[in-house]
Amino acid sequence: MESTRRAILRNAAAAALLGQLSAEAMQHVHQHAAEEKKAASGVYKPKALNPHEYQTVTRLADLIIPPEGSEVGGAGAGAPEFIDLMCSGSDRMAQIWLGGLAWLDDQCPKRYEATFVAAKPAQQAELLDLIAYRRNDTPETGPGIRFFEWARRMVVDAYFTSPAGVRALGYKGNVGMQVFQVPQEAITYAINRSPFKEG
Amino acid sequence: MDMPQVMRGAPVHDVVVIGSGAGGGTVAHVLTKLGVKVTLLEAGAMLNPARDYKEHKTPADYPHRGAGDDASSYFGRKDFGFFSAPTGYWEIDEEPYTVAAGSQFRWFRSRILGGRTNHYGRISLRFADYDFKASLLNDGLGTDWPVTYEEIAPYYDKAEDFIGICGTAEGLRSAPDGRFLPAPALRVHEYLIQKSSRKLNIPCVPARMAILTKPKNGRLACHYCGQCGRGCVTASNYSSSQVQIFPAMKTGLLTVIPNAMVREIITGADGKAKAVSYIDKTTRTEKQINCRVVVLAASACESARLLLNSKSSRHPDGLANSSGSVGRNLTDTVGYSLGGYVPALEGMMKHDSDGYAGGHVYMPWWGLEQKNKDFPRGYHIEVGGGYNMPMLGSFNGVCRSHEGYGAGLKKAILDSYGCSVGFAGRGEMIPNAKSYCDIDPHVVDRWGIPVLRFHFEWSDYELKMVKHMHETFAAIIEGMGGRVNGPKTVADTKRAISTPGEIIHELGTVRMGSDPKTSALNKYSQSHDVKNVFVADAAPFVTNPDKNPTLTICAMAWRASEFIAEGLKKGEL
């Protein structure tokens, strides 16, 4: 499978160089490769997090970047797999996540008599509204605020580097171009909104 | 340990080159073209671009998304990240360096064929007449090179013709024109930056880059994927590995010995260099090769280290160092960066703005005639922006400023994508007595070679320049209707200025000059003391102007190589 994927990418790169591959086609190839890889590896088995921790990360991922319509959110974009993988390769990262998740599971029962995943959506939101902002920093919330900075950053990383995130951003690059040119329409748009607008 | 095996009657190599970056690559290219046999020692591994370059990959192609399996990209500024061209490090475990108390220095080394040319920025600027001859500026600072712009210009021509540099002729004294391939079109934010700069009377011209915009010398033209720093599989940009060394190997005149960490240059009874001793890193065995000529091109500080470590009764302070100048006059480029947010770019139609890696425009120094500035010399400005490939960390800034989570955070990221611009100043540092490197008497590396110890101090000249950079960048950002990220003024220039070494333009440590009492090399990069020893990296540079050094390394190495070939032919070496 890996060799097939490499062959696809290599051929795609070669075709792109010759200007024979459109942006959409290149995107398709990348998606195809990613899907093929996912199919090959099957369901992800967490290496560092226990099932409860993994479930909590999955919930956090979709709260940080929610699914919209048919588009996946942080969880569907692979944030839980990514975060687990990072924790499995780095003790320092595992410390951040295990400590943070344990902090959530200490706070939530005190406040809501339930773990974070078992708490009601309104309760989850209430807690995140507290730890998602530095202005709420107190000795009591401090560890949660620091943990959430990591959680937000890594879920954002995982989502916006995934095919869904790249689509949402509208990134069109990483393809071959024979002559570099940006659309005149874009130049005109920006200049007309700048102090350099004529007339 | 076995004693080095030096056999009587062992072959004598004509020219042994130490290091395979811009200097070593150019020497290998020029000498083999002139029919001279070259043996090149590289402290790192062989390069295999097809395997080692990560061009056209995206983070999603890897489960770790570019963080590395050990999540290393999340902890500190480690190297240039997973996607960068291979094997460059700020810290190499087996080859440490030390920094004297009270100093700071970061030393980036690449341990692979091609060295730092695999990843470097490809900015290719000729030094100006006054960069070679500081006395033209009448500010009483700096030292004149033993060569003039006019003497080096033909070698800039040769280097540019061979490597391929894109750009435009502008007729500016601070940025002499070269032999340019066409420059590509500007990106949208670059049009705005250009208009804002010109309103401030700052020239903003197409950048000069070692990137092919037309096919040249058997190499394909750039395909504008924006990933030059990862290494280019089509060799459409300059790297010594692909452009000079691989082709030179095909001539049969170049032998490359990888994983060869040079310990010492050994001199004979006549005081001349006769052999190079090195450690084969793969087996940790000592080896020696005999040579007629040795060219050090190991990078400025590594070359200085090697000379200082090559002591003998004849050369007690190190080879080529009767002047005591080896290791002195260490400089790095003055660096300062500032970002801004440009609302005019919000909501623009998304498009491919990859281009080549780096700004398609830059601002050469414009203040040559200014009398009222409070720092000597000047700087150029590099620019960034556009719809870059989303990578780990791309949205850290939005996460920090917006905070929160959910749909609001996502919208803030989408709305601001591609609306930021960045400016980086690159200025001249005046050499000072407090900035140098020497041998640490207490530490050796894994190969038993004494390591370098760095001493460094920015002077007021550089700190004041940083203040000027900030004010200029802020004026350009505001002139295009943008907002400066962060405070309006620089409160503490010592914190704002780049860490010494960080710009990776460290040079000057084996200085050339006409006086053997104050310099190590003559105008042909040849040791005053030991005639068959040459230095072909940036160590010979007398000044460190506001121009990236690589093109000048190539030009000076080209000139030294022709001198060596001529000397060998005449039997003078």
Side-chain angles (χ1 to χ4, degrees):
Chain A
M1 279 309 204
E2 183 60 15
S3 63
T4 320
R5 193 178 76 85
R6 281 215 191 102
I8 291 169
L9 286 174
R10 196 166 46 240
N11 294 338
L17 293 182
L18 299 169
Q20 291 165 352
L21 204 62
S22 67
E24 285 75 11
M26 190 73 177
Q27 186 64 36
H28 172 76
V29 168
H30 278 294
Q31 257 167 271
H32 179 79
E35 280 158 18
E36 189 186 341
K37 198 162 166 188
K38 203 161 186 177
S41 54
V43 178
Y44 182 81
K45 290 188 195 69
K47 301 182 216 284
L49 304 176
N50 70 30
H52 170 72
E53 289 159 346
Y54 196 74
Q55 213 187 344
T56 310
V57 171
T58 305
R59 181 70 193 127
L60 276 173
D62 267 351
L63 284 167
I64 291 170
I65 302 290
E68 270 183 273
S70 62
E71 287 290 352
V72 298
E81 291 96 318
F82 170 66
I83 289 161
D84 178 72
L85 182 73
M86 293 292 95
C87 291
S88 75
S90 161
D91 288 344
R92 210 169 148 188
M93 190 62 89
Q95 169 89 357
I96 289 165
W97 278 92
L98 298 181
L101 293 169
W103 183 90
L104 275 184
D105 276 343
D106 175 53
Q107 290 289 313
C108 284
K110 284 179 189 161
R111 291 166 191 261
Y112 313 119
E113 296 179 345
T115 60
F116 184 78
V117 277
K120 295 192 178 82
Q123 294 170 330
Q124 293 175 341
E126 187 181 75
L127 187 65
L128 292 198
D129 285 341
L130 195 62
I131 62 174
Y133 299 94
R134 286 186 295 271
R135 63 171 178 266
N136 298 331
D137 198 354
T138 65
E140 193 199 355
T141 58
I145 287 174
R146 266 147 209 90
F147 164 63
F148 194 74
E149 283 181 350
W150 277 98
R152 175 171 47 217
R153 177 177 165 190
M154 290 180 71
V155 170
V156 162
D157 277 348
Y159 176 77
F160 284 104
T161 56
S162 76
V166 171
R167 264 198 308 279
L169 287 165
Y171 172 68
K172 304 261 189 271
N174 196 33
V175 292
M177 235 190 212
Q178 282 188 326
V179 176
F180 179 76
Q181 200 72 53
V182 295
Q184 184 57 47
E185 188 188 335
I187 301 169
T188 308
Y189 174 90
I191 288 181
N192 283 342
R193 288 165 50 88
S194 80
F196 312 117
K197 184 184 178 178
E198 306 213 354
Chain B
M1 191 172 65
D2 290 339
M3 287 305 289
Q5 302 290 307
V6 190
M7 316 273 277
R8 246 173 235 287
V12 178
H13 297 248
D14 286 339
V15 178
V16 172
V17 180
I18 302 163
S20 65
T26 300
V27 172
H29 165 71
V30 176
L31 285 180
T32 53
K33 279 275 174 203
L34 294 170
V36 178
K37 278 170 91 170
V38 175
T39 305
L40 191 153
L41 302 173
E42 162 55 47
M46 274 304 284
L47 173 76
N48 177 350
R51 181 197 62 204
D52 298 334
Y53 289 171
K54 297 185 187 75
E55 201 180 12
H56 306 141
K57 304 280 184 169
T58 71
D61 293 332
Y62 302 92
H64 59 67
R65 308 285 177 101
D69 284 327
D70 60 354
S72 52
S73 83
Y74 280 104
F75 301 109
R77 287 177 306 175
K78 201 184 168 199
D79 312 333
F80 293 142
F82 173 76
F83 287 94
S84 174
T87 331
Y89 305 97
W90 289 110
E91 307 292 339
I92 300 175
D93 286 343
E94 62 267 32
E95 291 161 26
Y97 57 89
T98 62
V99 180
S103 283
Q104 276 189 303
F105 198 83
R106 305 187 82 208
W107 190 18
F108 192 91
R109 290 165 289 170
S110 278
R111 290 288 185 253
I112 196 156
L113 192 80
R116 300 182 288 195
T117 65
N118 289 301
H119 84 263
Y120 87 119
R122 271 93 193 178
I123 293 174
S124 302
L125 307 174
R126 290 184 175 210
F127 288 9
D129 61 340
Y130 60 84
D131 294 323
F132 289 102
K133 200 167 182 181
S135 56
L136 288 171
L137 295 178
N138 292 315
D139 59 10
L141 296 170
T143 308
D144 288 352
W145 292 51
V147 292
T148 62
Y149 177 77
E150 288 68 30
E151 285 172 274
I152 300 306
Y155 294 94
Y156 277 133
D157 290 349
K158 290 182 190 201
E160 287 166 346
D161 278 342
F162 181 70
I163 290 167
I165 311 287
C166 61
T168 50
E170 301 289 338
L172 299 164
R173 184 181 175 195
S174 65
D177 295 328
R179 296 164 75 91
F180 295 132
L181 296 167
L186 276 54
R187 303 177 177 98
V188 176
H189 65 278
E190 292 168 344
Y191 282 102
L192 298 181
I193 289 170
Q194 190 173 60
K195 284 176 185 292
S196 188
S197 301
R198 288 182 174 168
K199 240 182 172 164
L200 296 163
N201 292 318
I202 296 170
C204 181
V205 304
R208 292 155 179 195
M209 304 289 272
I211 290 162
L212 301 185
T213 51
K214 299 267 179 208
K216 193 173 175 72
N217 298 334
R219 292 155 55 207
L220 290 174
C222 177
H223 53 274
Y224 304 108
C225 73
Q227 299 165 25
C228 304
R230 301 184 185 189
C232 182
V233 289
T234 57
S236 303
N237 58 24
Y238 169 65
S239 62
S240 60
S241 45
Q242 289 178 293
V243 175
Q244 295 170 322
I245 295 171
F246 292 149
M249 286 167 81
K250 289 198 182 123
T251 66
L253 291 170
L254 174 65
T255 306
V256 175
I257 305 179
N259 301 304
M261 183 74 184
V262 177
R263 175 186 301 286
E264 188 180 357
I265 296 162
I266 295 164
T267 42
D270 59 357
K272 284 175 78 175
K274 67 166 188 181
V276 173
S277 85
Y278 66 92
I279 295 103
D280 175 355
K281 286 181 174 179
T282 54
T283 57
R284 288 202 302 283
T285 49
E286 299 276 332
K287 304 208 168 161
Q288 260 191 30
I289 49 174
N290 300 327
C291 60
R292 287 202 174 82
V293 173
V294 58
V295 182
L296 288 82
S299 85
C301 295
E302 206 70 86
S303 289
R305 176 188 178 199
L306 182 49
L307 291 174
L308 291 171
N309 277 330
S310 298
K311 289 182 188 173
S312 60
S313 53
R314 187 106 175 218
H315 306 287
D317 300 318
L319 195 64
N321 194 27
S322 67
S323 66
S325 65
V326 174
R328 297 274 151 187
N329 300 301
L330 171 64
T331 53
D332 185 30
T333 292
V334 181
Y336 176 72
S337 301
L338 186 68
Y341 185 81
V342 185
L345 297 168
E346 284 174 347
M348 186 165 67
M349 64 182 289
K350 298 293 191 298
H351 57 269
D352 181 350
S353 69
D354 282 348
Y356 58 57
H360 287 195
V361 295
Y362 92 114
M363 291 79 124
W365 178 236
W366 61 97
L368 211 51
E369 309 300 326
Q370 280 175 26
K371 298 278 178 255
N372 56 350
K373 64 186 174 66
D374 61 355
F375 60 91
R377 314 300 164 83
Y379 58 91
H380 79 254
I381 309 172
E382 299 169 13
V383 306
Y387 298 118
N388 295 317
M389 180 188 286
M391 309 289 282
L392 298 187
S394 288
F395 306 102
N396 279 356
V398 194
C399 285
R400 262 195 305 274
S401 59
H402 184 278
E403 302 192 283
Y405 62 96
L409 173 67
K410 184 179 172 187
K411 186 172 186 308
I413 289 170
L414 296 180
D415 287 352
S416 60
Y417 176 54
C419 298
S420 293
V421 291
F423 296 82
R426 295 288 180 259
E428 174 163 358
M429 173 189 176
I430 306 293
N432 67 58
K434 290 176 177 165
S435 300
Y436 61 97
C437 55
D438 58 8
I439 298 297
D440 189 317
H442 308 293
V443 183
V444 294
D445 66 14
R446 181 176 295 177
W447 326 111
I449 305 172
V451 308
L452 273 188
R453 175 174 62 187
F454 290 95
H455 311 253
F456 205 97
E457 197 171 301
W458 295 119
S459 79
D460 244 19
Y461 298 144
E462 289 83 35
L463 297 173
K464 283 178 173 160
M465 184 186 280
V466 160
K467 192 166 162 288
H468 193 274
M469 287 179 181
H470 180 91
E471 287 159 4
T472 305
F473 304 165
I476 296 170
I477 293 166
E478 285 167 0
M480 55 202 278
R483 297 190 295 270
V484 172
N485 293 341
K488 289 275 282 180
T489 54
V490 187
D492 184 352
T493 49
K494 280 190 176 165
R495 285 177 70 98
I497 196 168
S498 51
T499 304
E502 193 180 40
I503 309 300
I504 321 185
H505 295 167
E506 75 283 356
L507 53 81
T509 44
V510 191
R511 181 182 262 205
M512 56 164 54
S514 23
D515 184 355
K517 288 195 195 69
T518 57
S519 62
L521 309 171
N522 70 16
K523 63 192 289 187
Y524 294 103
S525 311
Q526 179 185 33
S527 162
H528 290 300
D529 303 342
V530 191
K531 294 297 177 198
N532 63 343
V533 171
F534 291 77
V535 182
D537 46 36
F541 290 20
V542 182
T543 56
N544 193 347
D546 57 330
K547 283 105 186 165
N548 308 42
T550 305
L551 181 67
T552 303
I553 294 175
C554 293
M556 297 297 291
W558 201 300
R559 186 167 178 267
S561 302
E562 289 188 357
F563 182 83
I564 291 167
E566 193 64 22
L568 284 168
K569 207 165 85 186
K570 289 184 188 157
E572 289 168 358
L573 286 168

